[in-house]
Amino acid sequence: KGCSLRDIQDTIQQHYGLKIHHETVRRWINKYMAKITEYTNQLQPKVSGVWHSDEQKVKLKQKDEWVWTWNIMDSETRFLLANSVSKEREIQDARKVLRKAKFVANRKATKVVTDGLQAYNTAVRKEFATYQNPNPHVRLRTIRDHVNNNLIERLNGTIRDRVKTMRGLQNLESADLMFSAHRNYYNFIRIHQTIGKTPAEASNINIGLNSGNRWLRLL
């Protein structure tokens, strides 16, 4: 919900009388999120063939450098199919996250909407083009295009807010862990305002998270 590790540390101390270090909170998150991710990776979402992909820069505190985070979302269910972190925005980086999404969805996309990044042209074609569908890539060049990428742009906004609260990410590994955790939160915990349910429920993943502590039930 956007709380910093120190905010969580303070809440636990005030409400439960337990004095812990904020890095202990980080270790808990990493430990239990790994277990949750192992489980959620086995679940099969039922999604449409239209996906949105985008990338944005995030800062690493450890080396004071910028990296790119990639996200791919299903248009109909809003299910966040895949994310990835890379140092560059090359064809192989785009193909990596597209392959992840294809594996999770267990299908090829019929249409992938992206920004104007040139690397997507080759990446989308190599991953999804078929004889029946030779041109699955929809590349947006201006804000006046009749198709837009607003779905994924709104997601990027929530990620920016989270990174701002954390004042950047420690390194590439911790960035990958954080975005994996955010994917679980987005898909299984948070009710999407537009569709009125979680993206997991919208994609026919019904695992009884409608009541109580959703994180605990998911774990």
Side-chain angles (χ1 to χ4, degrees):
K1 294 186 176 180
C3 299
S4 69
L5 298 179
R6 286 178 173 81
D7 287 339
I8 298 171
Q9 172 195 28
D10 181 64
T11 299
I12 290 175
Q13 183 172 350
Q14 288 196 50
H15 290 271
Y16 300 100
L18 300 175
K19 193 171 184 179
I20 60 173
H21 196 274
H22 64 273
E23 284 299 326
T24 301
V25 178
R26 187 194 303 278
R27 287 193 293 271
W28 286 345
I29 292 172
N30 291 344
K31 175 181 178 179
Y32 292 111
M33 193 55 64
K35 294 179 180 294
I36 288 173
T37 300
E38 184 179 0
Y39 170 63
T40 57
N41 282 347
Q42 301 173 42
L43 302 175
Q44 178 68 65
K46 185 177 180 181
V47 296
S48 73
V50 181
W51 301 349
H52 294 258
S53 181
D54 198 20
E55 70 291 337
Q56 66 173 327
K57 290 172 72 173
V58 295
K59 192 171 186 179
L60 300 183
K61 291 189 288 187
Q62 193 176 73
K63 297 182 179 180
D64 195 28
E65 66 176 348
W66 293 86
V67 295
W68 294 94
T69 173
W70 306 71
N71 293 291
I72 298 181
M73 179 188 294
D74 175 51
S75 177
E76 184 177 306
T77 64
R78 309 300 201 268
F79 195 88
L80 184 55
L81 288 163
N83 49 22
S84 182
V85 182
S86 65
K87 292 184 177 181
E88 306 292 341
R89 285 195 304 170
E90 304 298 334
I91 294 172
Q92 63 268 21
D93 303 311
R95 291 191 69 181
K96 178 182 177 181
V97 71
L98 291 170
R99 280 196 297 268
K100 279 186 178 182
K102 183 166 57 174
F103 177 81
V104 170
N106 194 30
R107 61 165 298 172
K108 286 187 174 185
T110 56
K111 183 187 297 183
V112 180
V113 183
T114 76
D115 60 19
L117 180 66
Q118 192 69 31
Y120 279 122
N121 286 338
T122 302
V124 172
R125 186 178 71 251
K126 285 184 175 294
E127 295 298 329
F128 299 117
T130 63
Y131 181 77
Q132 294 82 6
N133 184 26
N135 189 25
H137 184 207
V138 178
R139 185 185 181 202
L140 306 179
R141 291 176 173 83
T142 71
I143 60 174
R144 291 184 293 273
D145 286 334
H146 69 283
V147 180
N148 63 62
N149 225 11
N150 291 345
L151 295 180
I152 203 82
E153 289 289 350
R154 283 194 290 270
L155 172 68
N156 286 343
T158 64
I159 292 175
R160 272 194 294 276
D161 291 341
R162 184 70 187 123
V163 173
K164 183 178 179 181
T165 301
M166 299 175 71
R167 297 183 178 88
L169 299 159
Q170 291 293 331
N171 50 48
L172 204 63
E173 291 73 24
S174 66
D176 203 37
L177 280 170
M178 197 283 280
F179 293 125
S180 177
H182 188 272
R183 179 160 48 90
N184 285 323
Y185 171 69
Y186 182 88
N187 284 334
F188 294 93
I189 304 298
R190 175 180 175 270
I191 302 296
H192 197 285
Q193 292 181 350
T194 302
I195 60 179
K197 59 180 75 173
T198 65
E201 291 173 309
S203 58
N204 286 350
I205 297 178
N206 298 306
I207 50 177
L209 300 180
N210 294 326
S211 61
N213 185 331
R214 288 181 182 155
W215 277 121
L216 189 59
R217 291 177 69 84
L218 190 59
L219 184 61

